[in-house]
Amino acid sequence: MAVLRFKALEEASNRQPIKFDERDLKSNIFGSNVFNDKSMRQYLTPDAYRGVRDAVQYGTKIDRKLAEYIAMGMKEWALAKGVTHYTHWFQPLTGTTAEKHDAFFETDFEGGCLERFGGGQLVQQEPDASSFPNGGIRNTFEARGYTAWDPTSPAFIFGTTLCIPTVFISYTGEALDYKTPLLRALTAVDSAATEVCRYFDKNVKKVTATLGWEQEYFLIDSALAKSRPDILITGRTLLGHTSAKGQQLDDHYFGSIPTRVLTYMRDLEEECMLLGIPVKTRHNEVAPNQFELAPIFEETNLAVDHNSLLMDVMQKVGERHHFKVLFHEKPFKGVNGSGKHNNWSLATDRGVNLLSPGKTPMSNLQFLTFFVNTIKAVHTYEALMRASIASASNDHRLGANEAPPAIISVFIGQQLTKVLNELEGVSSGKLTPAEKTDLKLNVVGKIPDVFLDNTDRNRTSPFAFTGNKFEFRAVGSSANCANSMTTLNTIVAKQLRDFKKEVDALIETGMKKDDAIFNVLREYIKQSKNILFEGDGYSEAWEIEAGERGLSNFKTTPSALKARVSQLALDLFSEMNVMNHVEVEARYEIELEEYTKKIQIEGRVLGDIARNHIIPTAIRYQNTLIDNVRGLKEIFGAEFQEIGREQLTLIREISSHIEGINTKVEEMRKARKAANKLEDASEMAEAYCANVKPMFDKIRWHCDKLELMIDDEIWTMTKYRELLFTK
């Protein structure tokens, strides 16, 4: 194994940048592998084209007859680009994407063949639902499930396969994927926000939730990754002493991008351009070999699909460049982990960002309406927001002096805090003429195109307002954005619906519209003050203060996920027609089971490495020391005790660490065995969290100490200094 390690290092050091053919990334390339508006105009009949556009813009259904013409045009477009297969591309609750490829090729009864792809194949397929996580919705012997075409997300070509984005539902109609609840949540927020917008502009017909994600990731040489069983199986290093040089010099962040990495990035960007993923930003992140990629904002459903697709593309492009891409939130101890900041806003069909202030926040009542309602929604459902980003891998990152804490709070900056404080202090009832002037709505056409920044940034805030959007910074890098975006859009939709009911009730009493809006907002500001926090989210003082404010602080996934099935959450998702009780409870079971299995796998891998790699290597080196001691004793005789003191000490220390590893691995095995006997999913997850996971650090401590003692020539595991600093 040590030989393999050095071969991997040699191979990595000899990597040459792959030659990159600089290509034009302008409009003639962007989206050329997407069945977008341009392609549809060319390959669809006018009726078929209008059918797709109406489905996208207004949610109208596409009948089967029209689907035949759409499928025909889609097939001809794909065949013209060399495509041989098609697939319904969906996002089951595994955290990855799924696809089953079928060839266009079919035979006829006369021994010939033809390419066939009809409306039925476009609209619906039947994968095996029992083989995907279902949370008890299906029995294992009940296999039927359906994928159904989502026309709001355009089909695309990847390799030689036509990929059709779809939802995934069970035979009995429950959602088994991330996309279905997200689409329902987006419908809910569209309806609720549009109704509120009409207080200010009666011509608004649609409100779209937008999303701009920021994907952080690590790149390590693929040869080095193959020498680490923990990386290959779990996506992170379960042991390894920190490198002498890490990120303490702050020299990697925004630094010059290494040549080989830049070549990878340029190749990746070309693939993204072909697939219509509007990537715009790339840079070095804080930790060595950590990077970030971010796109232009898009409609949320499409943005979620693009992020899921991007993660697949990144891995495939990485293989071409001999890189292993790590999306784990904490792949390396001692350096920053990775997140996926979700920048969220709402925009009308009249081109207005509802979270963009006017020249001053005080002059825009529409902005304040959506701004305050979002804060109120997060305050009411802060525990559910925490549950939406809970995972075994994200637990390593949250609150680790590199990411937001597990306490959900909202940062809005000093200027907007002052505004809300002033509004709270205004007397209830009718506004004075001066107050009404300050709060008077700007005409949409007069809102300037460029605004001054009205907030600073707070890296410790999980949910921060950043000028014209809210940034949900606590989302993990490996997560599907749909989970958090379903929750956020649902709670905002619910809050806006409640807001309209309260405002309408005041208007019915004779109060003028602007006065009614303001009075409701003023009460919301009072009710939501506890969620606002401008200080250091890492401090112990904030933990104490947050508890006094009544905010939750769920530091582990098993405790955080309970909010998923609280009566508050069940009522919310049911009322907003996003998920029924069965779907919510199924997701709770699935996420608990996923947590347990991930900890279980990591425990088994760590035990295997510790006993089959670390201990044998330690004994081998210890035997070398013993031979050395014998030689010294033979040569020096009586003087040996003085001369061989350090070797004897080292031998004893190695024995102590070997004993420590064996003892802790056995304790971990017994803890796993005890946890596995529990039948309740929640109890099992909590047992793994409380009894199995803590053993990881204890085993690792002994292994990492041995790494510092043992001869580098025989150490089998590729070290941090090699993983993080090999270009």
Side-chain angles (χ1 to χ4, degrees):
M1 188 64 191
V3 174
L4 291 178
R5 172 193 163 210
F6 284 107
K7 284 185 176 179
L9 285 168
E10 183 180 10
E11 182 180 343
S13 64
N14 291 331
R15 295 286 192 214
Q16 296 297 319
I18 295 176
K19 291 185 178 180
F20 181 82
D21 181 17
E22 190 74 56
R23 298 187 183 182
D24 186 8
L25 298 180
K26 297 179 182 178
S27 58
N28 61 324
I29 287 181
F30 182 75
S32 61
N33 282 351
V34 180
F35 197 58
N36 52 21
D37 190 80
K38 179 181 177 181
S39 299
M40 287 192 293
R41 287 179 183 274
Q42 182 178 353
Y43 284 90
L44 297 185
T45 64
D47 286 345
Y49 172 76
R50 282 193 296 271
V52 177
R53 296 308 301 167
D54 287 347
V56 173
Q57 294 177 2
Y58 309 115
T60 57
K61 291 186 177 180
I62 299 174
D63 63 46
R64 287 301 179 106
K65 184 177 180 180
L66 204 59
E68 290 290 338
Y69 292 105
I70 297 169
M72 186 184 305
M74 193 180 291
K75 181 192 72 174
E76 293 304 315
W77 170 75
L79 291 176
K81 288 181 167 290
V83 168
T84 59
H85 290 69
Y86 66 92
T87 183
H88 275 199
W89 183 82
F90 58 104
Q91 300 168 44
L93 298 173
T94 57
T96 60
T97 58
E99 51 196 63
K100 174 174 72 74
H101 296 193
D102 286 306
F104 288 123
F105 171 87
E106 289 189 12
T107 57
D108 58 26
F109 291 105
E110 299 177 356
C113 64
L114 67 161
E115 282 87 14
R116 179 174 294 169
F117 180 65
Q121 294 160 308
L122 167 65
V123 172
Q124 182 175 304
Q125 281 192 334
E126 185 188 337
D128 186 346
S130 67
S131 298
F132 290 103
N134 60 68
I137 291 177
R138 309 301 317 282
N139 292 309
T140 54
F141 58 84
E142 296 174 323
R144 195 182 296 275
Y146 299 105
T147 52
W149 175 37
D150 171 21
T152 65
S153 184
F156 58 90
I157 294 170
F158 194 49
T160 58
T161 304
L162 171 66
C163 301
I164 303 160
T166 61
V167 299
F168 181 41
I169 59 175
S170 71
Y171 177 70
T172 48
E174 291 90 0
L176 295 175
D177 65 344
Y178 288 109
K179 179 184 278 283
T180 303
L182 176 65
L183 290 174
R184 295 170 183 166
L186 295 175
T187 298
V189 80
D190 172 18
S191 175
T194 298
E195 289 299 313
V196 173
C197 273
R198 287 175 180 159
Y199 284 140
F200 311 103
D201 181 357
K202 295 186 181 297
N203 295 314
V204 172
K205 297 179 180 178
K206 184 177 179 60
V207 172
T208 300
T210 63
L211 170 64
W213 38 262
E214 303 169 27
Q215 181 69 60
E216 295 177 345
Y217 61 99
F218 280 82
L219 289 176
I220 61 173
D221 191 275
S222 56
L224 301 183
K226 291 174 183 176
S227 72
R228 293 281 310 217
D230 48 354
I231 291 177
L232 290 181
I233 298 175
T234 72
R236 76 180 183 105
T237 56
L238 296 173
L239 51 82
H241 199 280
T242 55
S243 171
K245 181 183 184 297
Q247 63 188 49
Q248 63 267 47
L249 296 179
D250 300 321
D251 55 342
H252 191 258
Y253 190 52
F254 281 18
S256 177
I257 301 173
T259 302
R260 183 180 163 203
V261 174
L262 184 59
T263 305
Y264 162 80
M265 289 178 170
R266 290 160 66 186
D267 197 0
L268 173 63
E269 287 171 358
E270 181 184 357
E271 294 284 358
C272 289
M273 289 292 142
L274 293 171
L275 292 166
I277 305 173
V279 294
K280 184 176 179 65
T281 302
R282 64 192 186 198
H283 63 81
N284 290 3
E285 256 300 333
V286 175
N289 279 12
Q290 185 187 32
F291 308 93
E292 181 180 299
L293 177 149
I296 298 170
F297 280 59
E298 298 180 284
E299 183 274 327
T300 298
N301 178 46
L302 183 58
V304 169
D305 280 1
H306 277 167
N307 183 251
S308 296
L309 175 59
L310 173 90
M311 293 170 76
D312 289 341
V313 174
M314 289 176 73
Q315 294 285 16
K316 288 180 170 66
V317 174
E319 291 173 6
R320 297 206 295 260
H321 292 261
H322 308 293
F323 277 129
K324 174 71 174 175
V325 184
L326 301 182
F327 293 116
H328 194 286
E329 282 77 0
K330 190 71 172 178
F332 298 102
K333 183 180 179 180
V335 296
N336 278 16
S338 299
K340 177 152 45 192
H341 303 174
N342 280 210
N343 296 278
W344 172 88
S345 190
L346 296 170
T348 72
D349 56 348
R350 293 172 62 79
V352 176
N353 181 348
L354 296 172
L355 290 175
S356 282
K359 293 180 180 178
T360 66
M362 287 286 285
S363 69
N364 194 330
L365 186 56
Q366 179 173 261
F367 159 72
L368 287 172
T369 295
F370 286 92
F371 179 69
V372 172
N373 271 283
T374 301
I375 294 171
K376 177 68 164 59
V378 175
H379 178 260
T380 304
Y381 297 99
E382 47 91 16
L384 190 58
M385 288 282 283
R386 168 67 179 94
S388 75
I389 49 93
S391 69
S393 52
N394 209 22
D395 282 356
H396 291 286
R397 170 178 166 266
L398 293 179
N401 289 342
E402 62 197 65
I407 304 167
I408 299 297
S409 63
V410 179
F411 171 83
I412 62 174
Q414 292 183 358
Q415 182 181 349
L416 288 171
T417 298
K418 181 180 179 182
V419 169
L420 296 192
N421 288 338
E422 290 175 355
L423 295 182
E424 181 189 353
V426 175
S427 60
S428 60
K430 293 185 178 181
L431 303 177
T432 66
E435 291 164 352
K436 189 172 291 187
T437 298
D438 285 339
L439 291 170
K440 187 176 180 180
L441 173 68
N442 276 350
V443 177
V444 170
K446 293 183 180 179
I447 296 177
D449 293 330
V450 180
F451 305 110
L452 294 176
D453 290 334
N454 50 57
T455 69
D456 195 355
R457 291 183 179 268
N458 187 330
R459 64 191 296 270
T460 71
S461 175
F463 197 78
F465 185 70
T466 56
N468 60 0
K469 61 189 182 297
F470 279 99
E471 182 180 17
F472 195 7
R473 302 186 70 254
V475 182
S477 53
S478 67
N480 187 311
C481 298
N483 216 0
S484 56
M485 287 297 101
T486 296
T487 298
L488 177 57
N489 284 287
T490 302
I491 66 175
V492 171
K494 163 67 172 167
Q495 179 55 50
L496 289 172
R497 181 186 288 187
D498 292 347
F499 169 76
K500 188 172 189 304
K501 289 178 182 177
E502 293 186 51
V503 171
D504 287 349
L506 290 178
I507 292 174
E508 288 176 4
T509 66
M511 186 177 290
K512 290 186 177 181
K513 180 186 68 178
D514 286 0
D515 293 336
I517 291 172
F518 169 75
N519 276 280
V520 175
L521 291 179
R522 186 179 60 82
E523 290 305 310
Y524 285 175
I525 292 169
K526 290 181 179 180
Q527 296 167 14
S528 306
K529 288 184 69 174
N530 283 347
I531 200 72
L532 300 177
F533 181 64
E534 308 294 304
D536 181 4
Y538 296 154
S539 67
E540 293 182 9
W542 168 233
E543 284 199 36
I544 297 171
E545 183 181 341
E548 293 171 349
R549 293 187 185 192
L551 301 180
S552 62
N553 183 12
F554 300 119
K555 295 185 178 181
T556 66
T557 290
S559 60
L561 286 178
K562 291 179 181 178
R564 271 236 190 251
V565 288
S566 66
Q567 196 60 49
L568 185 69
L570 292 171
D571 292 345
L572 166 74
F573 288 118
S574 177
E575 178 185 341
M576 303 310 296
N577 295 316
V578 172
M579 287 184 283
N580 59 35
H581 289 194
V582 173
E583 291 169 320
V584 174
E585 290 166 354
R587 276 162 170 71
Y588 175 64
E589 292 288 324
I590 289 167
E591 290 175 350
L592 284 174
E593 184 178 8
E594 179 187 31
Y595 177 87
T596 297
K597 287 180 177 178
K598 284 190 173 180
I599 302 300
Q600 182 184 76
I601 291 169
E602 288 187 350
R604 288 174 173 172
V605 171
L606 179 57
D608 172 59
I609 293 174
R611 280 184 161 170
N612 294 307
H613 289 260
I614 306 304
I615 288 179
T617 303
I619 292 173
R620 180 182 171 189
Y621 182 60
Q622 190 179 48
N623 287 337
T624 300
L625 291 174
I626 291 171
D627 289 340
N628 176 258
V629 167
R630 286 174 179 156
L632 290 174
K633 189 173 183 180
E634 181 179 334
I635 293 172
F636 293 101
E639 299 179 43
F640 162 73
Q641 291 297 330
E642 184 67 26
I643 296 173
R645 181 187 303 164
E646 296 300 326
Q647 289 91 328
L648 289 170
T649 300
L650 196 54
I651 290 170
R652 292 189 186 96
E653 288 181 1
I654 291 173
S655 292
S656 174
H657 289 304
I658 291 173
E659 180 186 4
I661 292 172
N662 265 325
T663 300
K664 298 306 178 185
V665 168
E666 183 60 22
E667 287 179 15
M668 179 178 66
R669 188 191 66 80
K670 290 179 179 178
R672 279 205 316 268
K673 188 175 180 180
N676 291 339
K677 292 180 179 179
L678 300 172
E679 295 183 0
D680 181 78
S682 177
E683 291 179 2
M684 185 182 293
E686 288 175 351
Y688 265 91
C689 180
N691 303 326
V692 178
K693 186 181 174 184
M695 303 304 299
F696 292 3
D697 286 340
K698 296 177 181 178
I699 296 168
R700 179 173 190 154
W701 184 82
H702 289 291
C703 293
D704 290 355
K705 288 295 183 182
L706 287 173
E707 180 183 326
L708 294 178
M709 298 178 185
I710 293 173
D711 185 354
D712 187 69
E713 291 290 328
I714 65 171
W715 188 256
T716 62
M717 305 294 291
T718 304
K719 298 182 177 182
Y720 269 34
R721 68 169 186 264
E722 298 158 348
L723 290 167
L724 290 171
F725 294 97
T726 300
K727 304 300 182 186

